Amino acid sequence: MSFKIAIIGAGSVGFTKKLFTDILCVPEFADVEFALTDISEHNLQMIKAILDKVVQSNKLPTKVTATTDRRKALEGARYIMSCVRVGGLEAYADDIRIPLKYGIDQCVGDTICAGGILYGQRNIPVILDFCKDIREVAAPGAKFLNYANPMAMNTWAAIEYGRVDTVGLCHGVQHGAEQIAEVLGAKSVKELDYICSGINHQTWFVDLKLNGRQIGKDELIAAFEAHPVYSQQEKLRIDVLKRFGVYSTESNGHLSEYLPWYRKRPEEITRWIDMSNWIHGETGGYLRHSTETRNWFETEFPQFLASAEKPIDPAMRSNEHASHILEALETGRVYRGHFNVKNNGVIANLPTDAIIESPGFVDRFGINMVSGITIPEACAATCISSINVQRMSVHAAISGDIDLLKLAVLHDPLVGAVSTPEEVWQMVDEMVVAQARWLPQYAHAVPGAKERLASAKVKTREWAGAARRNIRSIEELRAEKEALKRAV
């Protein structure tokens, strides 16, 4: 069978290669066309060279094109995948560093919190541009698969305002299941059956069975506390498991941002996190990781090309949902996964308009969600707090209403736990001014924000956070990248 797949943000080299080889593990997909698009011509040419080598080495008829003209890439596409980060690391640095001046200590800052909300403000106008192009030039009924964060906000905007058939995809559920299988002594995650439900990055294992045997709270707690690594790296998640009765899919560091009890006091933060890896709660951990590894694909380009010569091995197909969804839709082979869609009653005790992450089955008829799920009340309460923030954030991004944006940030659980309204108003002004080039919907509000900042009364502080390693400056990284370009 032959159809076209467009990948927006294809310059994310490693992830694009994974999606590409996963899809080509499906025998029926050998004839598909991949249209790669990105704002970086340099990155596009690198990934195209790698994918061309995969095609040649495996003697496939697959067609690969690359263009910075997004609309051209989307022409006639049946599936569109997005993994974009609007503003790149330069804007992301502001998402972490500016809130830190106001005492808001984030590990990742890409979902909610001050950083995630501003990230959404940058992404949503661009997501709507994607949707406009999809409606106008993609194949009729094209499906948009969003991998970009903030997942719930981007997917919400694409469905409600972009009017495109959209599903949000993440791998947090799979990673959580792998952890649980390991602590329970399973030989493979395939021995584990589970129902995970909630919202993206706050999804909960509400039912667990190992080889058909029900796994209860006490057994799971004991298994995690006995594990030599996870007992140290996942202290916060284990504490939540004890109190809520269910395990969260999300990493220790991510989860700490959504449950403000663990990050609102600097002296408490180090009690719950582990510094062996950024994902366990380091202040600005993902920013540091991203800046320090941003050019890895350039320095390792020869190794990427060499690995592209290897035969595609279906046994090495990843657990990313995209290829499995496409296989089910096109061949009818049923696939079960966890997907981000509008609730519409799927989870009974969450708002109907929310973007939820929950189990579903895919076949030729589409994505069919399992309905009638009720999650524990404590889980619902934390999810609803985030949903209210997400809803306001989406509406602010659409309207360009800076007052609504400030209210959204104020209602964020972690922000509200550590900041006063005056601090939030000034912080948002500072972030909007700093990121103005990526926030066209707030252009009318920038002059007023600058005026208010000129007479700012709230004192900020230069603070490295409760747990932080050094982060090189954006200027240093930019110079390093230019040197690498000349060398490659």
Side-chain angles (χ1 to χ4, degrees):
M1 57 183 65
S2 179
F3 54 87
K4 183 176 181 181
I5 302 168
I7 302 178
I8 308 174
S12 178
V13 175
F15 193 63
T16 298
K17 181 176 182 289
K18 180 189 290 188
L19 294 176
F20 180 81
T21 53
D22 279 354
I23 291 168
L24 291 183
C25 285
V26 182
E28 292 90 341
F29 292 171
D31 286 327
V32 302
E33 174 185 351
F34 289 85
L36 314 177
T37 185
D38 198 284
I39 60 174
S40 170
E41 177 69 34
H42 175 68
N43 286 17
L44 267 182
Q45 293 310 312
M46 293 185 76
I47 185 60
K48 186 176 187 301
I50 292 166
L51 301 192
D52 282 344
K53 179 69 73 173
V54 172
V55 170
Q56 294 163 10
S57 301
N58 288 273
K59 297 181 173 59
L60 295 170
T62 312
K63 181 180 179 182
V64 180
T65 63
T67 177
T68 55
D69 184 342
R70 183 182 71 232
R71 198 171 173 91
K72 182 178 180 181
L74 296 182
E75 286 179 0
R78 187 179 298 178
Y79 300 101
I80 300 92
M81 303 178 190
S82 171
C83 41
V84 299
R85 177 189 288 279
V86 177
L89 290 179
E90 188 172 355
Y92 182 34
D94 290 333
D95 290 343
I96 301 300
R97 291 170 176 159
I98 293 175
L100 198 58
K101 293 164 58 177
Y102 295 85
I104 301 164
D105 189 316
Q106 303 168 101
C107 172
V108 184
D110 70 353
T111 300
I112 54 169
C113 298
I117 293 169
L118 266 293
Y119 190 11
Q121 304 308 296
R122 299 193 302 273
N123 270 24
I124 286 172
V126 175
I127 291 286
L128 295 187
D129 285 343
F130 296 170
C131 290
K132 179 176 182 293
D133 287 348
I134 292 169
R135 293 195 309 270
E136 293 177 354
V137 303
K143 184 175 286 292
F144 183 32
L145 290 79
N146 175 61
Y147 267 108
N149 284 318
M151 174 60 65
M153 295 184 209
N154 288 344
T155 305
W156 198 320
I159 292 172
E160 184 170 327
Y161 294 98
R163 305 189 310 280
V164 166
D165 182 9
T166 304
V167 59
L169 304 177
C170 186
H171 42 234
V173 173
Q174 297 97 300
H175 290 173
E178 289 165 358
Q179 274 193 338
I180 292 172
E182 181 179 337
V183 301
L184 291 175
K187 296 178 182 178
S188 166
V189 73
K190 292 180 180 179
E191 296 178 30
L192 191 69
D193 292 306
Y194 54 89
I195 294 175
C196 227
S197 200
I199 63 173
N200 183 241
H201 291 174
Q202 290 180 55
T203 320
W204 311 88
F205 288 93
V206 296
D207 202 354
L208 279 172
K209 291 183 179 180
L210 181 65
N211 293 318
R213 181 175 65 84
Q214 192 75 40
I215 302 297
K217 168 187 170 182
D218 292 341
E219 181 177 355
L220 194 59
I221 291 170
F224 270 103
E225 289 188 326
H227 194 279
V229 177
Y230 297 148
S231 60
Q232 298 304 307
Q233 293 179 342
E234 306 290 3
K235 287 176 283 192
L236 187 150
R237 288 169 89 180
I238 294 169
D239 190 66
V240 173
L241 168 61
K242 290 178 178 178
R243 299 180 193 279
F244 285 36
V246 290
Y247 195 62
S248 167
T249 56
E250 211 42 55
S251 68
N252 205 71
H254 251 321
L255 189 59
S256 70
E257 298 175 315
Y258 317 137
L259 305 178
W261 320 296
Y262 299 99
R263 290 194 86 93
K264 67 179 181 179
R265 295 176 186 163
E267 65 273 17
E268 282 286 304
I269 292 175
T270 53
R271 176 184 170 193
W272 295 108
I273 69 170
D274 180 273
M275 292 291 284
S276 62
N277 191 300
W278 68 266
I279 201 169
H280 307 307
E282 176 189 345
T283 301
Y286 189 53
L287 173 62
R288 180 185 63 80
H289 171 78
S290 299
T291 53
E292 292 180 356
T293 60
R294 70 182 301 174
N295 293 318
W296 66 271
F297 56 86
E298 295 189 340
T299 57
E300 298 180 11
F301 183 64
Q303 291 95 318
F304 257 101
L305 275 180
S307 68
E309 296 178 356
K310 298 177 182 178
I312 292 174
D313 182 3
M316 299 301 293
R317 185 179 179 184
S318 83
N319 58 11
E320 293 292 346
H321 293 304
S323 70
H324 301 280
I325 290 174
L326 268 59
E327 179 180 8
L329 290 171
E330 296 293 334
T331 71
R333 293 193 283 268
V334 178
Y335 173 64
R336 180 186 185 275
H338 290 74
F339 313 118
N340 289 268
V341 298
K342 190 170 282 292
N343 187 17
N344 290 330
V346 169
I347 302 177
N349 54 341
L350 291 185
T352 58
D353 63 335
I355 300 300
I356 51 101
E357 187 169 62
S358 204
F361 293 83
V362 193
D363 57 21
R364 289 189 190 276
F365 293 99
I367 296 176
N368 312 285
M369 302 299 289
V370 178
S371 62
I373 293 174
T374 299
I375 63 176
E377 287 188 73
C379 300
T382 60
C383 287
I384 288 170
S385 294
S386 294
I387 289 166
N388 290 335
V389 171
Q390 291 163 352
R391 184 188 295 108
M392 282 192 285
S393 299
V394 171
H395 294 166
I398 297 296
S399 65
D401 184 339
I402 194 170
D403 292 325
L404 183 57
L405 173 60
K406 290 174 178 177
L407 286 168
V409 176
L410 181 68
H411 281 83
D412 176 82
L414 180 59
V415 173
V418 301
S419 301
T420 67
E422 291 82 3
E423 290 169 335
V424 172
W425 258 238
Q426 182 175 306
M427 177 182 67
V428 173
D429 277 343
E430 188 173 347
M431 296 181 82
V432 167
V433 169
Q435 301 183 15
R437 76 183 99 163
W438 300 292
L439 299 171
Q441 72 273 47
Y442 293 107
H444 66 284
V446 170
K450 287 181 176 178
E451 284 185 26
R452 290 188 292 273
L453 289 172
S455 58
K457 298 178 181 179
V458 175
K459 292 183 179 180
T460 61
R461 55 176 168 161
E462 293 302 320
W463 183 47
R468 191 171 191 176
R469 295 187 174 98
N470 291 328
I471 300 177
R472 289 176 293 164
S473 70
I474 292 294
E475 290 72 24
E476 289 176 303
L477 288 161
R478 187 180 292 119
E480 179 182 293
K481 184 175 183 179
E482 291 304 317
L484 283 166
K485 282 183 179 179
R486 291 191 292 271
V488 172

